[in-house]
Amino acid sequence: MKWIKIALFSLSIFAMSIQSNAQNLLSGKDLSTIKVDALTDAEIAQIQAQLKQAGVSIDMVESQAIAKGMSPAEFAKLKARLSGAKSGTKSGSPLTKKTVSKKPTYEIDSTRKTFENKINPLIYGSELFANENGFGENQNIATPMNYEVGTNDVLKLVVYGVQEYSSDLDVSKEGTVLIENVGRVKVAGLTIEAATTRIRQQMANTAYPSLRTGESKLALTVGDTRTIQVTIIGAQRSGNYNVSSLSTILNALTEAGGPNEIGSYRNIELIRNNKLYKKIDLYAFMQNGDQSQNMGLKDRDVIRVPAYKGRVEIKGQVKRPGIFEINGTAENFNQFLQYAGGFDDTAYTAWVKVIQKNDKEKSVKDLSAKEFASYQPQGGDIIQVSKILDRFQNRVKLSGAVFRPDVYELTEGMRISDLIQKADGLKEDAYLGRAQLIRLKPNLLKELVSINLGKALQKGSEENIYLQREDELYINSIVDLRDSLTVDLLGEVRSQGRFNYVDSMTVKDLILMAGGFKYEASKQVEVARLVKFGDKVTDNQVATILKTEVNGDLSFNPGQENFVLQPMDVVTITKKVGYTNPEVVSITGQVQSVGKYTLSTRVERVSDIVKRAGGLIGQAYGEGAYIKRSRYNIDTLRSDESKTSVEQAYIRKFKAQQLSAKAEIKNSLNEEDVLVDAQKQGKKNLKDTLDILYKELENDYYQIAIDINKIMDKPGSELDLVLRDKDEIVIPKTDNRVKISGGVLRPTNIVYRDGLTIGECISSAGGISEYARRGRAYVIYANGKSKRTMHFGLFRINPTIKPGAEVVLPETDVKKDKPLTSIIQFTTVLAQIGSVLATLAILNR
């Protein structure tokens, strides 16, 4: 009755009309094109419902689906999808356990393999199973000629030539295939090669005689392999597995995760028909690629992984440190060393250390190289391979004034001269008077042996001593022993500075090295030469001055000497007598002719330039005039391209002084005394002054206030300033504006009038703010001068307001107390003092 239900269910599946791939799931003769991955979850759910309605499981229709051409892998995917749909997951697990057997059966999904590998990576052979896809079965390989045909295989038969025929032949349960016009041929149990021969004979004897004459050819291959079941014991995931009939032992072990933690890699048993068929040693496969250890599987085979008998660990300087298994045969240490890849490049190969175990404790064995072939490691042995020593047994070192300083081999009987000859000899600057030989004493301390190198190179000399291991010979250079000697050239040359001294250098040579004279250079040359003293100083003289004259073409007049220089000489070339670079000043503002003027004398003054500019014009504001003067203290400042190195160095130094001064001002605000004063007077009373100071520091010039009217009234007076190069005289136009800034309610500008006072200016700006310091108000005039409010007791004298001036009220961080509040506080203090005095008077009565 049950088989009738299965047949009815099969017919219902064949006839069901489901869209997409599920529509042809089991219909038709060829199911080889079905792709389970392309089925939707809805289609999988519908198949699940139909199986439940028919009362059958997916396992019951397996043989029919495979007979119709569905591959075992696709059918395994279908079972996984159906199992996942039943448990509520989106897709099935790659390994789905059966519930019909006491032992778990795993369905192999070659496209999805995820498991946690617990194998110790140090165990030799574990790398075979570390990669999940390392030995996965390959469905695309050609059919081996020794493949044994079995039930449910699909054979592809092709006849070509005079007669042609092709067909897919299903191997029935009886082990036969049905060929049209020929009949049934039994092939089960035969290899592909034997099955080909039998089918050819039977077809040649019936409907295809051309096969007998060779006019037609026959080819037989396996189209779809059958699924076989194997059992694996002692693996990471022991159980029953459905695998392809092409699978090998390594394929199946890979699916099971490889041997477990105590599993053997050298005594794996293949049990077939309840008998031990073969023992597999994976070491033979790994060492030699012996494929005889990787046998094909048959249905109902059992792979048993027993526990290992013993293991040996090899540590240290080998190419593949790890844990290696003993297979019970007489294997020596050399064989285990081969498993470990041999010694690495730094291994000490004369001895290895073996830590052994007995019944009670551990013991140590030193294994010499002679014993490697005879010693048989025991289970639990730990073999340690050490490094070679970081030292040399025949090294000597040569450095210094030789052509090839390096490390050399110490040969028997080698002397100092032999070592120098190996280095291609001494350099020309080698110092022959002495060489240093550093030698190791027996206690490994170093000692210095002095060698007369000149004598050591002579034949038969006692100085030519024998060398020892780790000797270091250093040969000095005359250049290294000589001090770095220089001469200085200063004055009117193109490139003044310090030059390296060279023997026989003359004054003319030094001037040529400096690029020659400048235009302003005179003929006079001075050479300052250090005085050489004996044992004590006899007088105050430190240098001797030598003088000569050199023409512009570097020739010498008769009687003038081209001195040969000595180390540390200082050569100075002065300017021509009276020579000075042209100095230029400028005048801008309210004069007749604005522009640049060259100073005609060394003491030309402001009044002289004003006169040369045609005098003042009507709108000139004399009291607002000032001079802008460069901060650089250099007589002549040309463009950046023509500045001398000294001038450029001075400018860099000045810039650094600017930054340093600004930093010092900022740092001074953090000092305790300044902070105390700031707390008393308020920090912001310094703000305006600091802002002005910072602004001045950032400029390359400073401002000098002058009164041009007084200067023109008394030319040449002390008010009439002597001008310098780059000075700029600025004479502004009359400005009837007065600016009010700082601690006022609304900073503003007002029109100047005679008799204007600071109080009126403050009133025009809305009055004093809460943070203003009225008593410290000051006025900045148009020419840059400033004047502050003066105090004499209770009296306050305010500075005079002039056109173009600015009234500034400093500010603090502390609010100003209101007058009424101050009076009340003062009165309260007086009352308290009076009360105390009255109390004391009463007590004294």
Side-chain angles (χ1 to χ4, degrees):
M1 185 65 182
K2 186 174 183 180
W3 292 108
I4 295 175
K5 290 183 178 180
I6 294 174
L8 292 174
F9 171 72
S10 300
L11 291 174
S12 65
I13 292 179
F14 297 160
M16 67 181 179
S17 56
I18 304 174
Q19 292 181 354
S20 75
N21 291 338
Q23 181 178 3
N24 297 321
L25 180 61
L26 295 176
S27 63
K29 293 183 179 181
D30 187 8
L31 300 182
S32 61
T33 60
I34 294 295
K35 300 297 181 184
V36 176
D37 291 337
L39 298 178
T40 65
D41 291 341
E43 293 167 346
I44 293 295
Q46 187 170 358
I47 296 173
Q48 185 86 14
Q50 291 178 352
L51 288 171
K52 185 176 181 181
Q53 183 178 2
V56 295
S57 67
I58 188 64
D59 295 320
M60 296 180 181
V61 297
E62 178 180 1
S63 59
Q64 296 183 24
I66 292 177
K68 294 294 184 180
M70 178 178 283
S71 68
E74 289 295 328
F75 193 81
K77 290 181 184 180
L78 178 60
K79 291 176 67 174
R81 293 285 301 275
L82 290 172
S83 177
K86 185 175 182 181
S87 62
T89 60
K90 185 174 180 180
S91 61
S93 171
L95 301 175
T96 306
K97 290 187 178 181
K98 290 183 179 179
T99 58
V100 298
S101 175
K102 292 182 180 180
K103 292 183 179 181
T105 300
Y106 295 90
E107 304 297 339
I108 297 174
D109 181 355
S110 60
T111 63
R112 304 181 62 192
K113 300 173 183 176
T114 57
F115 58 85
E116 181 181 359
N117 195 331
K118 298 180 180 180
I119 303 176
N120 185 353
L122 289 177
I123 297 176
Y124 182 59
S126 61
E127 61 267 29
L128 293 174
F129 310 104
N131 183 1
E132 299 173 10
N133 297 320
F135 284 93
E137 62 182 60
N138 186 359
Q139 299 288 347
N140 298 321
I141 62 174
T143 305
M145 296 306 293
N146 61 351
Y147 175 76
E148 189 174 307
V149 179
T151 303
N152 294 329
D153 278 344
V154 177
L155 305 180
K156 292 184 177 295
L157 175 63
V158 177
V159 177
Y160 56 95
V162 175
Q163 293 179 290
E164 293 183 352
Y165 174 77
S166 65
S167 178
D168 291 343
L169 308 177
D170 296 335
V171 181
S172 66
K173 292 181 179 181
E174 292 77 18
T176 62
V177 294
L178 179 61
I179 304 174
E180 294 182 14
N181 302 321
V182 175
R184 289 194 173 272
V185 181
K186 185 172 181 59
V187 293
L190 300 178
T191 63
I192 282 291
E193 186 176 12
T196 302
T197 301
R198 178 172 292 184
I199 292 175
R200 181 187 294 111
Q201 291 176 351
Q202 197 156 339
M203 293 182 70
N205 293 332
T206 54
Y208 298 91
S210 59
L211 289 172
R212 186 169 51 250
T213 62
E215 297 176 299
S216 296
K217 303 292 184 181
L218 180 144
L220 182 68
T221 58
V222 178
D224 292 325
T225 59
R226 65 188 183 279
T227 300
I228 62 175
Q229 188 179 78
V230 297
T231 301
I232 303 176
I233 303 170
Q236 295 283 339
R237 294 182 305 281
S238 301
N240 293 331
Y241 285 84
N242 289 334
V243 298
S244 167
S245 57
L246 290 174
S247 297
T248 64
I249 290 177
L250 282 178
N251 297 145
L253 280 176
T254 299
E255 298 298 336
N260 59 24
E261 293 81 354
I262 63 171
S264 172
Y265 287 76
R266 309 199 64 181
N267 292 294
I268 300 173
E269 299 175 353
L270 176 60
I271 300 173
R272 183 170 292 170
N273 298 326
N274 296 324
K275 294 180 181 180
L276 178 60
Y277 184 77
K278 187 176 180 60
K279 281 192 175 184
I280 292 91
D281 184 358
L282 294 183
Y283 279 27
F285 173 74
M286 295 182 66
Q287 286 291 310
N288 308 314
D290 185 1
Q291 286 289 347
S292 66
Q293 304 295 318
N294 189 22
M295 297 185 60
L297 297 174
K298 292 188 176 182
D299 194 27
R300 305 299 177 183
D301 276 353
V302 175
I303 301 173
R304 176 178 174 272
V305 182
Y308 66 86
K309 294 180 180 180
R311 285 176 177 171
V312 174
E313 183 174 5
I314 301 180
K315 296 181 177 181
Q317 307 311 119
V318 292
K319 296 176 182 176
R320 185 171 47 235
I323 299 172
F324 303 89
E325 184 179 340
I326 298 172
N327 69 348
T329 60
E331 289 182 301
N332 57 37
F333 172 71
N334 279 333
Q335 290 172 299
F336 282 92
L337 184 61
Q338 185 179 357
Y339 298 151
F343 294 116
D344 68 11
D345 297 334
T346 62
Y348 176 58
T349 60
W351 297 82
V352 298
K353 189 177 298 297
V354 182
I355 299 176
Q356 301 173 328
K357 296 179 182 179
N358 53 36
D359 295 338
K360 292 183 179 181
E361 55 190 1
K362 296 180 180 180
S363 63
V364 177
K365 178 178 177 60
D366 292 330
L367 194 65
S368 67
K370 295 179 180 180
E371 300 175 282
F372 288 174
S374 59
Y375 178 72
Q376 296 180 7
Q378 305 298 315
D381 281 1
I382 299 176
I383 302 173
Q384 178 70 45
V385 180
S386 303
K387 272 188 176 182
I388 59 174
L389 298 177
D390 187 15
R391 57 180 291 176
F392 294 87
Q393 65 179 7
N394 62 339
R395 178 180 67 171
V396 289
K397 185 177 181 181
L398 177 61
S399 57
V402 292
F403 285 104
R404 297 185 184 277
D406 207 337
V407 173
Y408 291 92
E409 176 190 2
L410 175 64
T411 58
E412 185 177 356
M414 177 182 283
R415 296 175 180 265
I416 289 179
S417 59
D418 299 326
L419 179 59
I420 294 175
Q421 186 177 0
K422 274 193 171 184
D424 287 347
L426 300 174
K427 288 184 177 179
E428 293 81 356
D429 61 337
Y431 177 61
L432 300 179
R434 189 165 298 276
Q436 288 82 40
L437 178 65
I438 300 174
R439 173 164 289 177
L440 285 180
K441 297 165 66 176
N443 59 1
L444 297 184
L445 295 177
K446 292 184 177 181
E447 65 176 344
L448 181 64
V449 180
S450 295
I451 304 294
N452 188 318
L453 189 59
K455 293 182 179 180
L457 295 178
Q458 296 175 4
K459 187 175 182 180
S461 173
E462 294 181 356
E463 294 285 336
N464 190 18
I465 63 176
Y466 288 103
L467 295 176
Q468 299 178 8
R469 183 181 70 85
E470 293 299 320
D471 277 356
E472 297 180 22
L473 180 62
Y474 179 76
I475 299 174
N476 296 291
S477 167
I478 296 177
V479 177
D480 295 338
L481 295 176
R482 185 176 181 178
D483 192 9
S484 178
L485 301 178
T486 59
V487 291
D488 291 335
L489 178 59
L490 306 176
E492 305 308 314
V493 290
R494 296 184 183 277
S495 179
Q496 60 179 332
R498 179 161 292 177
F499 298 83
N500 291 325
Y501 174 76
V502 181
D503 288 342
S504 303
M505 175 187 288
T506 64
V507 170
K508 181 178 179 179
D509 297 328
L510 183 60
I511 295 173
L512 286 172
M513 292 173 67
F517 290 117
K518 289 183 180 179
Y519 173 76
E520 59 266 30
S522 70
K523 296 181 179 181
Q524 300 295 326
V525 178
E526 285 188 355
V527 179
R529 181 163 295 168
L530 293 178
V531 175
K532 297 181 180 179
F533 293 101
D535 297 334
K536 60 180 181 179
V537 177
T538 58
D539 54 31
N540 294 327
Q541 186 177 5
V542 295
T544 302
I545 304 301
L546 307 176
K547 294 186 177 181
T548 187
E549 291 185 1
V550 184
N551 297 321
D553 58 357
L554 297 181
S555 63
F556 289 83
N557 294 326
Q560 303 298 326
E561 183 179 355
N562 184 17
F563 293 117
V564 176
L565 298 177
Q566 294 182 8
M568 312 309 295
D569 279 355
V570 179
V571 180
T572 305
I573 298 173
T574 60
K575 286 184 178 181
K576 295 176 182 176
V577 177
Y579 180 87
T580 180
N581 288 321
E583 295 184 346
V584 178
V585 298
S586 59
I587 185 169
T588 59
Q590 306 304 305
V591 292
Q592 297 292 341
S593 298
V594 175
K596 295 182 181 295
Y597 294 86
T598 302
L599 298 179
S600 59
T601 67
R602 298 179 186 274
V603 291
E604 195 158 4
R605 299 175 181 269
V606 174
S607 59
D608 299 327
I609 299 301
V610 173
K611 290 177 183 178
R612 290 170 62 182
L616 305 177
I617 61 178
Q619 295 182 344
Y621 182 38
E623 294 184 359
Y626 59 90
I627 296 175
K628 290 172 64 176
R629 176 163 289 177
S630 172
R631 291 182 181 276
Y632 304 125
N633 190 18
I634 299 177
D635 292 339
T636 302
L637 287 178
R638 293 174 291 279
S639 63
D640 290 340
E641 293 77 9
S642 61
K643 286 187 178 72
T644 66
S645 59
V646 175
E647 291 172 339
Q648 293 174 355
Y650 185 87
I651 293 172
R652 288 194 298 270
K653 181 179 179 181
F654 175 77
K655 293 290 186 181
Q657 290 174 346
Q658 283 183 320
L659 297 175
S660 177
K662 189 171 182 179
E664 288 178 3
I665 293 170
K666 289 184 177 180
N667 293 335
S668 67
L669 295 177
N670 296 326
E671 297 179 1
E672 184 176 358
D673 54 345
V674 176
L675 286 176
V676 171
D677 183 69
Q679 291 172 357
K680 293 179 180 178
Q681 303 180 15
K683 292 181 181 178
K684 283 199 173 180
N685 63 344
L686 303 176
K687 179 178 182 300
D688 296 327
T689 303
L690 289 177
D691 288 345
I692 294 172
L693 181 57
Y694 289 162
K695 186 174 181 180
E696 289 181 356
L697 288 173
E698 290 172 357
N699 293 329
D700 294 337
Y701 61 87
Y702 57 93
Q703 186 171 310
I704 303 174
I706 59 175
D707 190 336
I708 199 68
N709 294 328
K710 293 181 179 180
I711 289 174
M712 299 308 296
D713 290 340
K714 295 181 178 181
S717 67
E718 59 183 9
L719 298 177
D720 196 0
L721 194 68
V722 176
L723 296 175
R724 294 182 184 176
D725 187 31
K726 302 290 185 186
D727 279 355
E728 180 182 354
I729 304 171
V730 180
I731 303 175
K733 184 188 295 185
T734 300
D735 185 3
N736 287 331
R737 176 179 59 89
V738 176
K739 181 180 179 182
I740 303 99
S741 62
V744 292
L745 296 180
R746 184 177 178 82
T748 187
N749 295 274
I750 63 174
V751 178
Y752 170 79
R753 62 174 177 80
D754 291 337
L756 184 66
T757 65
I758 289 181
E760 293 174 339
C761 292
I762 294 173
S763 298
S764 300
I768 300 173
S769 68
E770 294 179 333
Y771 299 94
R773 302 279 293 181
R774 172 63 179 84
R776 293 182 177 272
Y778 60 92
V779 177
I780 302 175
Y781 295 104
N783 61 359
K785 283 186 177 180
S786 61
K787 193 172 183 181
R788 69 180 181 87
T789 301
M790 305 296 292
H791 296 271
F792 294 96
L794 298 177
F795 298 98
R796 181 167 56 199
I797 300 176
N798 294 319
T800 304
I801 307 297
K802 294 183 179 181
E806 179 181 0
V807 179
V808 181
L809 269 72
E811 292 182 284
T812 68
D813 290 335
V814 182
K815 287 185 178 181
K816 180 180 178 182
D817 293 334
K818 295 181 179 179
L820 181 60
T821 302
S822 299
I823 293 172
I824 294 174
Q825 291 176 348
F826 183 70
T827 304
T828 302
V829 172
L830 291 178
Q832 290 175 349
I833 294 173
S835 176
V836 171
L837 293 175
T839 302
L840 293 175
I842 294 173
L843 293 175
N844 291 331
R845 288 181 181 178

